Amino acid sequence: MTAGVTIRTVHDVASLAAVADYFSDVWQTPRTAPPYPAEVLHSLVHAGGAVHAAYDGQRLAGASVAVLGADRGTYSLVAAADQGLGHAVKLAQRDWALGLGARTMRWTFDPLVGRNARFNLVKLGATGTEYLVDFYGPMTDGVNDGDESDRLTVTWELGAPPAPYDGAPQGPVVATAPDGDPLARRDERHIWCRVPEDVVKLRAADPALALRWRHAVREVLLTAFAEGFRATGMSRDGWYTLARAEGAA
């Protein structure tokens, strides 16, 4: 863990309000309309969930929210942290979940955000298990506004270490991206799919082009998931690796 950083669960109204403000800043919403209001966070904690807060000295530098789900699993509703602290926040969530006897954790993220995909699939070792089309409907925050809210569900086996990753795309090109370069490649065992370099910047500069990327990647991933593939990795240059799930035809 980064020197001087502490992570703990928070329960009091003032600390939860600070977390709500932090989420507002991350998602660029007015603090009067946070993505997760303090009263909602308080209710989730009261119902047995956990809000973890990361402090760099006295400064709030990250936070996450999780609830206990069915089948000995947990669901991470939201997590955000300053650069370099995301891994520590997720490990704190994992320790909390394991303490409750949970074996897995699930959450969703925007599949076009390659850095988040790499963090989730490679650094943590989670697996992309479900593609959700326009999951939240229209969103009006400063990060997602103007786009369709597709999400990828990932499942994290809490007791398993991350698997070694070798995700170089191979095989013939089977789809072309909006920029004219290859979007997807495929061989007998894998599918590879590319995402834009920085979809958040692209969405701000050219929303129509970002939406074309959304639809193009959606088509590839929906087809792959329908055929029994799962997302298992993300390369540094923006290529998903998808492999067939065990038992899939």
Side-chain angles (χ1 to χ4, degrees):
M1 189 177 296
T2 304
V5 173
T6 58
I7 300 176
R8 64 177 185 269
T9 56
V10 294
H11 311 83
D12 62 284
V13 172
S15 296
L16 293 171
V19 169
D21 287 346
Y22 181 82
F23 287 152
S24 287
D25 295 344
V26 170
W27 275 275
Q28 301 173 28
T29 66
R31 287 191 170 186
T32 54
Y36 282 83
E39 58 268 27
V40 172
L41 298 178
H42 202 182
S43 295
L44 290 171
V45 170
H46 184 70
V51 175
H52 286 85
Y55 297 93
D56 186 356
Q58 297 298 312
R59 182 180 65 87
L60 182 61
S64 64
V65 183
V67 295
L68 186 64
D71 302 323
R72 288 296 181 183
T74 54
Y75 197 89
S76 177
L77 298 174
V78 61
D82 292 3
Q83 188 172 8
L85 295 182
H87 191 234
V89 170
K90 292 303 293 184
L91 292 183
Q93 277 194 316
R94 184 190 65 179
D95 290 345
W96 169 80
L98 287 171
L100 295 175
R103 295 186 291 270
T104 63
M105 182 177 291
R106 294 185 299 130
W107 62 92
T108 64
F109 73 97
D110 184 343
L112 292 189
V113 182
R115 63 182 180 275
N116 287 354
R118 185 168 176 81
F119 176 81
N120 292 329
L121 303 179
V122 179
K123 186 154 191 171
L124 295 179
T127 301
T129 52
E130 180 183 27
Y131 192 92
L132 304 164
V133 176
D134 205 18
F135 183 55
Y136 294 109
M139 301 180 72
T140 57
D141 60 56
V143 175
N144 299 284
D145 192 23
D147 197 0
E148 296 173 7
S149 58
D150 289 18
R151 293 295 181 266
L152 187 62
T153 300
V154 293
T155 301
W156 189 18
E157 299 292 337
L158 299 178
Y165 172 64
D166 181 9
Q170 304 174 42
V173 175
V174 295
T176 302
D179 62 4
D181 289 333
L183 173 70
R185 293 180 178 272
R186 182 167 186 161
D187 66 14
E188 293 181 356
R189 299 177 56 244
H190 296 91
I191 295 172
W192 292 268
C193 182
R194 185 168 62 93
V195 298
E197 181 178 357
D198 190 330
V199 71
V200 176
K201 288 183 178 179
L202 179 61
R203 193 157 43 213
D206 192 340
L209 179 56
L211 191 58
R212 290 200 295 274
W213 271 99
R214 172 74 65 202
H215 293 161
V217 172
R218 175 193 294 173
E219 183 176 355
V220 172
L221 295 187
L222 274 179
T223 299
F225 276 78
E227 293 180 13
F229 285 82
R230 297 293 181 261
T232 57
M234 166 61 73
S235 67
R236 294 186 183 278
D237 57 349
W239 284 87
Y240 277 102
T241 295
L242 297 104
R244 285 193 186 275
E246 291 185 12

